[in-house]
Amino acid sequence: MDSRSINLRGFAGNAGKNIMQGIGGFVFGNERSESKEDSYVERFLDRISNGTIPDDRRSAMTELQSLVAESRSAQMSFGAMGFPVLLNILKEDREDVELVRGALETLVSALTPIETSQGPKTEVQPASMNSDLLSRETENISLLLSLLTEEDFYVRYYTIQLLTALLTNSLKRLQEAILLIPRGITVLMDMLMDREVIRNEALLLLTYLTRDAEEIQKIVVFEGAFEKLFSIIREEGYSDGGVVVQDCLELLNNLIRTNASNQMLLKETIGFDPLISILKIRRGSAFNFTQQKTVNLLGALHTVELLLMGGPPGEQGKDTSKINNQTALAQKNILDHLLLLGVESQWAPVALRCTALRCIGSLVLRNPQNLDSLANKQVGEEPHLQPALNAILAIILRTSIAQEFVAADYVFKCFCEKNPNGQALLASTIAPHPNQGPATHGASVDMPFGSVLLQALVSSDVNGDMEACCRASSVLTHVIKDNLQCKDRVLQIQLETPTPSLGRTEPLLHRIVTCLSLAALTEGENDQSSQSEESYIQPVILRLLIIWLADCANGVNCLLESAVHLNYIIELASNKRNTGCVRGLAAVVLGACVLNNASREKGRDAFAVADAISQKIGLTTYFLRFDELRKSFLHLPSGQQHHKQLSRSSANSMSDFQEIEEEETNKGDQHPVLSEIFDSQFVSFLNKLESDIRENIMDIFSRTKTATAVLPGELEQKNGEIDGEYIKRLKSFVEKQCNEMQDLLGRNAMLAEDLVRTGGGTTSDSSERSSSGRERVQIEALKQELEGAARRIEVLKTEKAQIEAEASNQRNLAVKLESDLKSLADAYNSLEQANYRLDAEAKTLRQGGSVPYPDVEAIKAQAKEEAEKESEVELGDLLVCLGQEQTKVEKLSARLAELGEDVDTLLQGIGDDAALPDDNDEDDDDEDEDDEK
C-alpha cells in the first residue's frame, strides 16, 4: 500500500472524525467526556491501515473490536472513520484470514446496539447510524455477499451475522440492494446447506429478508426453499425439535402469507404431508407440551391458518386458492389432528387449543364436503364417544377462558355460515330432553346437541348462571342467522312455565327476554365490585334478538305479545346506567320491531311501537343511541390479534396465552369478547339496519295511519251511480282526507315538540340536531301536501280529457245529422222537379184534346201524400235523435260549467249552418206555388 493512499485515508479519517465529534457532542450533550475513546479509535485505525507488521495490525483490530463492542462513543467515532479502512481490508487483504475475521467481527460490534441506563431513551443509537452508513452503497452489500463463498467458517459466520444486523436496522434498503445483486439470494440459500451454526444464522437472515417482499419470496421459493425447510424440520424432529424448527416455520409462513402462487407451489411440489407430520401428537400426552414444542405447534397451526386464508384480500383467485387448500388439507385428514389438539387435548396449552379451534372453523367455512365431515365426526374413546359439535358446545359452556369461548364460538359461526342444511340439522334437535332436569350446563354425553343448548339457555332460572345463557345465546344466533325456516322452528319451541298458575306454556323467545332482564339485575348488583370491566352478557343476548327479529315478522309478533317486553326494551334503551353499547343494541331491537312488523292489531303494530319510542324515549334521543353504538364499536380492539405474525419475540408470550388474555381483560374498559363477537360483518349489518330503521320511522311520522291515497278511480263516477250518491261519496272521501290530515298534523306537532324539547341543551350539536329534525318534519309535511295536490291535478286532467273527448264526439254526431238533413232536402227537390215535369206533360195533353188525359190532380195529390208520409217518418226519427243529443249536450254543458269551462265557446259553431234555413225557405216557396196552382 503506497504512502499516497495512506495519507488520503488519514485525511478522510481526520475529517470524518471532526464531523462525527460534532454530531456526537450535539446528540449526547458532552463534547469532551468521550474524547479518550475517540483518540483510541483513531490510533487503532491508523495502526490497521498504516501498519506493516501483520501481527500488530491484527492486535490493533482485536483491541478496536473490544472498544467498539463496549463504548457507544467508540461506535460513533468508528462510524465516522472506520468503514473505509475495514471495507478496504475486506477487498484487498483476503489472504489474511485472521485480519478479515477481525474486521468482520468489528463491523458486527459497530452495528450491535449497546444498552445503557444513562441518557434519554429517545437519543440516537450509534449502531443504527452505522447501519445506515454501511447499507447506503450497494457495492458494500455485494462485497459482503462475496465473502459467503470463502472457505473459512468464521468468515462466513461473521458475514451472516453482519448481514442480519444490517437487516434489523435497514430492512428496506438491504432488500432493494440484494435484488440488484446477481445471484445474491442464491448465495444466501446455499447457506441453508452449510454447517449447523451458519445454517441457523442463515435462517434468521432469510426470515428478515422475506418479510413483506414478494419478489424476494418468489426467488427464495424458486431456489427450493420448501424442500430445504422441511428437510431441516424433519432432521430436527418435527414439533419436538428446538428453536430451529420455529425459525423454519416462521420463514415458511413469510413465503406463503397472502401469496397464492407460493401456496400452490407448496401444494404441488412437496404437498401438505410434512406439515401434517408436525401436527401429529400422541393421544394422552398430557405432560409432553414443553414451551418450545408449544411454540412449534403454534407455528405449524399458523401455517394452516395462512393456507386457509388464501391469497391477499380482494384478489380474483383468493377464494379458489382457499377452497383448493381446504380440500387438499381435508384429504390429509387434518381435521382429526385439529380435533385432537383443540377439543380432546384439554391438557394442552390454551393457545394451542384456541388456534386449533380457529383452524377447524376456517377449514369448514363454506366448504360442503368439510362441513359434512365435521357434522359426522366423533371424538373421544370408546365407550365415551360423542359428536364433535357436541364436544365443542361443551367447551363453550364450561370454559373459564374468554378466548377459548370465542375460538369455539367461531367454529359454529363458520359451520352455520351459508349452510342452511347444517342450520336446520342443529335447529331440529332443539327440544326439551325427557331426562333434562335442573342440572348444570355440564350435561350428559348422550343428550342431543339442541337439548344441551336449550338447557343452558334456561338454566339461569335455576342457578342464575347467566354466563351459560349468554354463551348458548351466541351459538343460537349462528343457528338461526339468515334462515327464516330455522327462526320459525325455534320460535315454536314452548317451555313449561315455572309458575303453573299462568296456565300456559312459555315461548323460548319470551324466556330469552326474561334472561336479558335477569342479566341486567345481576350486573346491577355487581356494579359496585367491578367498575372497570364491561360485561358481554347483555350485548350477546341483544345480538341474538336482533338477528332473530331481522326479516322475521312472526318473531316480532311473538315478542310484542306481551307489553312488558316492549316496555323493558325501551327501559334498556333509555336507562343511562347502561353502557352505550347496550343502549344502542336495545335501540336496534326496537327498530327491528318497527321495521319487520306485519301486525294489524292495535297496540302491537309498527305505529304503536313508533309512538311508544317517541313518547318514552324521544326520537332525537333514540337516534342518538345509534351514534353511541357506533362510537362503542370504534373503541373495541381490532379482533384480529390471532392473525399477527408469530416471531421469536412474540412466541413465548403466545405460548402463555392464558396469562396474556387475563391481563388484557383487566386493563381495558371493554371486555375482549366484544371485539371478537362484534366483528366487521355484524357491524356492517347493523349499519344497514340502522339506515332502514331511520327511514322507516321517519316515514311513519310523515304519513297517515291508514295510508289513504287519492286514486283517480275513487273520484270517478261509477256506472249507474246517480249524481246525489256520487256527491255524497265524494263528500265522505273528502272528510276522511281531512281527518287523516289532522292526524298527520298532530303527529308532526308532537314530533316537533319533542325535537324542540330535546334540542334545548347547551351544546351546539344538540341545537343543530333539533333544527335539522324540525326542518325534516316540515319538509316531509310539505312533500306530502305537494304529492296530494299533484294527485288531485292528475285526476282533474283526466276528467277534463274525458269531457273534451265526449264533446268532440257530439260535434261529430251533429255534423252527421246535418249531412242527413241535406240529403233529405236534395231528395225533396228532386221530387218537386218530377212534379213540374208531370204538370208540363199534363198541360200538353190537355191542349191536344184528342186523347183523354188522366186525372192529374188525383195523381199529383197521391204522389204528394206518399212523399209527405215518407218525409214525416224520416223527420220523426231525426227529431227523436236530436232530442236525445240535446239532453246529453245539456248535461255536458252543466258539468263543464261546474269545472269552470266556458260552455258557449265549446258549442260555438254547432248547428249554425246556413244551408238548413235556405232549404226550409225553398220548401215554403214550393208550397206557396202549389197553393197558387
Side-chain angles (χ1 to χ4, degrees):
M1 189 178 298
D2 58 9
S3 59
R4 180 179 302 172
S5 63
I6 294 173
N7 293 333
L8 287 174
R9 190 182 306 146
F11 173 77
N14 290 331
K17 178 189 72 172
N18 295 331
I19 294 173
M20 293 306 293
Q21 281 179 345
I23 295 176
F26 176 75
V27 173
F28 298 107
N30 191 345
E31 297 181 359
R32 303 186 61 184
S33 61
E34 306 295 344
S35 60
K36 188 175 183 180
E37 285 81 357
D38 296 347
S39 63
Y40 284 156
V41 170
E42 183 180 4
R43 187 183 309 167
F44 293 145
L45 288 173
D46 183 67
R47 287 170 57 188
I48 293 169
S49 59
N50 298 327
T52 57
I53 303 174
D55 288 340
D56 184 61
R57 298 180 67 195
R58 295 173 194 144
S59 176
M61 185 70 75
T62 302
E63 294 177 1
L64 177 62
Q65 188 274 328
S66 300
L67 181 61
V68 171
E70 296 173 357
S71 171
R72 290 162 59 91
S73 177
Q75 282 185 342
M76 183 72 74
S77 300
F78 175 82
M81 301 178 288
F83 281 121
V85 177
L86 268 63
L87 290 174
N88 190 70
I89 290 175
L90 298 180
K91 292 179 185 177
E92 307 294 339
D93 297 324
R94 290 281 185 94
E95 67 281 355
D96 193 340
V97 176
E98 187 175 349
L99 188 62
V100 172
R101 286 181 192 170
L104 290 170
E105 191 173 4
T106 303
L107 289 172
V108 171
S109 299
L111 271 58
T112 303
I114 300 174
E115 298 297 334
T116 177
S117 58
Q118 299 178 355
K121 301 216 175 173
T122 56
E123 66 182 8
V124 179
Q125 289 282 352
S128 177
M129 296 179 62
N130 292 342
S131 298
D132 184 70
L133 288 172
L134 183 59
S135 60
R136 282 183 180 178
E137 299 294 335
T138 305
E139 295 179 359
N140 297 340
I141 309 302
S142 179
L143 173 63
L144 295 177
L145 291 177
S146 67
L147 292 173
L148 293 176
T149 59
E150 293 291 322
E151 295 183 0
D152 185 75
F153 167 78
Y154 287 102
V155 171
R156 301 198 304 275
Y157 176 70
Y158 289 135
T159 303
I160 286 284
Q161 282 192 326
L162 182 57
L163 289 170
T164 304
L166 277 175
L167 279 171
T168 57
N169 295 311
S170 304
L171 176 61
K172 294 295 182 184
R173 186 176 292 175
L174 197 58
Q175 287 173 335
E176 295 171 359
I178 288 181
L179 281 174
L180 298 175
I181 299 172
R183 297 189 75 253
I185 297 177
T186 305
V187 173
L188 295 176
M189 289 298 298
D190 291 339
M191 295 296 99
L192 292 179
M193 310 309 294
D194 208 321
R195 293 168 61 176
E196 183 176 344
V197 176
I198 294 181
R199 178 200 69 186
N200 298 344
E201 292 293 330
L203 278 173
L204 292 177
L205 176 63
L206 288 169
T207 300
Y208 280 112
L209 198 60
T210 53
R211 286 179 182 171
D212 303 321
E214 187 175 354
E215 292 298 323
I216 296 178
Q217 292 171 3
K218 291 180 180 179
I219 299 174
V220 169
V221 170
F222 181 76
E223 294 290 339
F226 292 142
E227 294 85 350
K228 293 177 181 178
L229 288 176
F230 280 109
S231 175
I232 297 172
I233 292 173
R234 183 177 61 254
E235 292 174 3
E236 294 291 324
Y238 294 108
S239 63
D240 293 320
V243 71
V244 176
V245 175
Q246 175 186 343
D247 294 336
C248 289
L249 289 171
E250 187 177 352
L251 176 56
L252 173 66
N253 293 339
N254 284 350
L255 298 177
I256 66 172
R257 181 175 289 107
T258 66
N259 194 319
S261 59
N262 284 355
Q263 293 176 10
M264 183 179 65
L265 284 174
L266 173 61
K267 182 179 65 175
E268 294 180 352
T269 53
I270 65 174
F272 294 148
D273 287 312
L275 179 61
I276 302 297
S277 299
I278 303 175
L279 296 175
K280 288 181 179 178
I281 61 171
R282 296 193 311 273
R283 188 183 297 273
S285 55
F287 304 103
N288 197 27
F289 287 98
T290 63
Q291 185 178 26
Q292 187 58 57
K293 181 170 183 175
T294 301
V295 172
N296 292 342
L297 287 171
L298 281 173
L301 289 173
H302 189 48
T303 304
V304 176
E305 279 188 308
L306 293 174
L307 291 172
L308 295 174
M309 287 171 57
E315 190 178 74
Q316 188 173 3
K318 179 180 184 296
D319 292 336
T320 303
S321 173
K322 174 182 175 181
I323 293 173
N324 292 337
N325 292 339
Q326 283 179 326
T327 304
L329 288 169
Q331 290 173 352
K332 301 299 180 182
N333 297 322
I334 193 174
L335 185 56
D336 295 332
H337 301 289
L338 295 176
L339 287 171
L340 184 60
L341 274 171
V343 180
E344 297 185 62
S345 301
Q346 289 304 302
W347 56 85
V350 177
L352 271 183
R353 302 201 303 267
C354 294
T355 310
L357 286 169
R358 285 196 302 270
C359 288
I360 293 172
S362 300
L363 182 68
V364 303
L365 180 62
R366 301 188 183 185
N367 190 304
Q369 294 179 348
N370 293 356
L371 286 168
D372 293 340
S373 179
L374 177 60
N376 297 322
K377 280 292 181 184
Q378 300 276 332
V379 297
E381 296 179 334
E382 293 289 353
H384 302 296
L385 288 174
Q386 63 173 329
L389 291 176
N390 287 31
I392 297 173
L393 176 61
I395 292 174
I396 291 177
L397 298 178
R398 73 164 180 259
T399 183
S400 60
I401 302 170
Q403 292 293 349
E404 188 173 17
F405 153 58
V406 170
D409 184 76
Y410 177 73
V411 176
F412 282 102
K413 178 188 175 192
C414 295
F415 180 82
C416 296
E417 187 170 334
K418 304 296 182 183
N419 182 23
N421 294 332
Q423 289 175 301
L425 174 67
L426 297 179
S428 64
T429 64
I430 302 178
H433 194 265
N435 300 326
Q436 183 172 327
T440 61
H441 49 76
S444 174
V445 176
D446 60 349
M447 287 180 62
F449 171 88
S451 298
V452 178
L453 184 65
L454 189 60
Q455 178 176 304
L457 284 170
V458 302
S459 63
S460 58
D461 286 350
V462 179
N463 53 20
D465 190 359
M466 298 310 306
E467 186 83 13
C469 176
C470 160
R471 296 180 178 185
S473 299
S474 182
V475 176
L476 183 60
T477 301
H478 304 312
V479 173
I480 66 175
K481 183 181 180 184
D482 299 328
N483 193 319
L484 188 58
Q485 289 76 19
C486 288
K487 291 180 181 180
D488 289 336
R489 186 183 187 95
V490 178
L491 202 61
Q492 296 171 3
I493 296 174
Q494 300 288 326
L495 305 173
E496 291 297 332
T497 179
T499 54
S501 60
L502 294 176
R504 63 179 179 84
T505 56
E506 181 184 17
L508 178 59
L509 181 59
H510 289 194
R511 182 65 63 87
I512 297 296
V513 180
T514 302
C515 293
L516 182 62
S517 62
L518 291 174
L521 293 175
T522 304
E523 292 178 12
E525 295 173 357
N526 296 335
D527 278 346
Q528 296 178 354
S529 60
S530 177
Q531 290 287 344
S532 62
E533 180 182 332
E534 177 185 348
S535 174
Y536 62 92
I537 294 177
Q538 283 184 288
V540 171
I541 298 177
L542 285 169
R543 183 185 67 154
L544 169 61
L545 292 178
I546 292 170
I547 296 297
W548 202 337
L549 301 179
D551 301 322
C552 183
N554 293 335
V556 174
N557 189 43
C558 179
L559 179 68
L560 297 179
E561 282 181 357
S562 174
V564 175
H565 294 160
L566 179 61
N567 292 333
Y568 172 67
I569 300 297
I570 290 176
E571 170 64 21
L572 208 60
S574 58
N575 195 335
K576 295 183 179 180
R577 291 181 299 177
N578 296 323
T579 63
C581 180
V582 171
R583 291 197 300 264
L585 291 173
V588 177
V589 173
L590 293 173
C593 291
V594 175
L595 192 62
N596 304 295
N597 195 311
S599 176
R600 294 290 181 264
E601 186 175 345
K602 186 176 181 181
R604 287 165 54 183
D605 57 357
F607 290 96
V609 179
D611 285 339
I613 293 173
S614 176
Q615 293 172 8
K616 298 182 180 180
I617 301 178
L619 288 184
T620 304
T621 305
Y622 174 75
F623 289 142
L624 287 177
R625 295 293 180 255
F626 294 109
D627 299 333
E628 293 178 0
L629 180 62
R630 197 179 302 109
K631 291 177 182 178
S632 69
F633 287 149
L634 292 176
H635 293 310
L636 290 175
S638 64
Q640 301 295 326
Q641 298 168 355
H642 48 269
H643 291 312
K644 66 182 180 182
Q645 300 180 14
L646 187 66
S647 60
R648 280 193 179 187
S649 59
S650 63
N652 293 333
S653 61
M654 284 287 290
S655 65
D656 199 8
F657 195 70
Q658 183 172 359
E659 294 182 5
I660 297 298
E661 186 270 329
E662 291 174 352
E663 182 180 339
E664 289 179 351
T665 300
N666 296 325
K667 73 180 181 181
D669 293 334
Q670 302 280 357
H671 199 285
V673 172
L674 294 179
S675 62
E676 302 283 352
I677 294 296
F678 297 126
D679 54 8
S680 59
Q681 184 180 5
F682 181 68
V683 172
S684 300
F685 169 75
L686 287 182
N687 291 336
K688 182 181 181 302
L689 199 61
E690 174 196 343
S691 176
D692 295 339
I693 291 170
R694 286 178 181 270
E695 182 178 352
N696 193 272
I697 290 181
M698 293 309 299
D699 181 63
I700 287 176
F701 278 91
S702 301
R703 60 183 171 86
T704 58
K705 287 185 178 179
T706 57
T708 303
V710 181
L711 300 177
E714 296 180 3
L715 297 176
E716 187 176 342
Q717 188 172 7
K718 300 178 181 179
N719 292 332
E721 187 179 24
I722 63 176
D723 292 343
E725 293 179 353
Y726 178 53
I727 293 172
K728 184 177 181 180
R729 186 166 59 84
L730 288 178
K731 183 178 180 181
S732 175
F733 183 82
V734 171
E735 290 177 353
K736 190 176 181 181
Q737 287 277 35
C738 290
N739 292 333
E740 296 289 359
M741 290 181 65
Q742 290 297 325
D743 179 75
L744 180 61
L745 291 173
R747 284 170 170 268
N748 288 340
M750 181 179 64
L751 180 63
E753 208 175 286
D754 173 66
L755 291 174
V756 170
R757 184 175 62 253
T758 56
T762 56
T763 62
S764 61
D765 188 40
S766 299
S767 176
E768 291 175 2
R769 285 196 181 95
S770 176
S771 175
S772 63
R774 288 193 297 271
E775 290 175 359
R776 183 169 182 178
V777 170
Q778 294 171 359
I779 290 172
E780 290 294 335
L782 292 174
K783 183 179 178 183
Q784 291 295 322
E785 292 178 5
L786 181 61
E787 290 177 354
R791 286 194 292 266
R792 287 192 291 273
I793 289 173
E794 290 297 327
V795 171
L796 293 175
K797 285 183 178 178
T798 304
E799 286 190 351
K800 180 181 177 182
Q802 291 176 350
I803 293 173
E804 288 179 349
E806 204 161 339
S808 177
N809 292 335
Q810 295 299 324
R811 283 195 296 269
N812 294 335
L813 184 59
V815 171
K816 183 176 181 301
L817 292 174
E818 181 183 352
S819 177
D820 292 341
L821 286 173
K822 192 172 183 180
S823 299
L824 185 61
D826 291 341
Y828 187 80
N829 289 335
S830 299
L831 184 62
E832 289 294 330
Q833 291 176 1
N835 190 23
Y836 292 151
R837 188 176 69 254
L838 290 174
D839 285 342
E841 290 178 356
K843 288 179 180 180
T844 303
L845 288 174
R846 280 197 297 269
Q847 291 174 359
S850 57
V851 181
Y853 60 91
D855 188 354
V856 176
E857 294 297 331
I859 296 172
K860 184 177 179 181
Q862 183 181 358
K864 186 174 182 180
E865 183 179 356
E866 290 178 356
E868 286 177 352
K869 287 182 179 179
E870 185 178 2
S871 176
E872 285 176 359
V873 172
E874 290 182 359
L875 284 172
D877 295 338
L878 181 61
L879 290 173
V880 171
C881 292
L882 285 174
Q884 292 176 351
E885 297 306 319
Q886 181 64 29
T887 303
K888 291 183 180 180
V889 169
E890 289 176 357
K891 286 187 177 182
L892 290 175
S893 299
R895 182 60 178 163
L896 286 171
E898 291 178 4
L899 295 174
E901 292 289 340
D902 190 353
V903 179
D904 295 332
T905 303
L906 289 174
L907 297 179
Q908 186 176 1
I910 298 176
D912 293 340
D913 198 330
L916 291 176
D918 293 342
D919 291 340
N920 294 333
D921 294 340
E922 187 176 350
D923 291 341
D924 295 336
D925 294 340
D926 292 339
E927 291 177 359
D928 293 338
E929 290 179 1
D930 291 338
D931 293 338
E932 291 175 358
K933 291 177 182 179

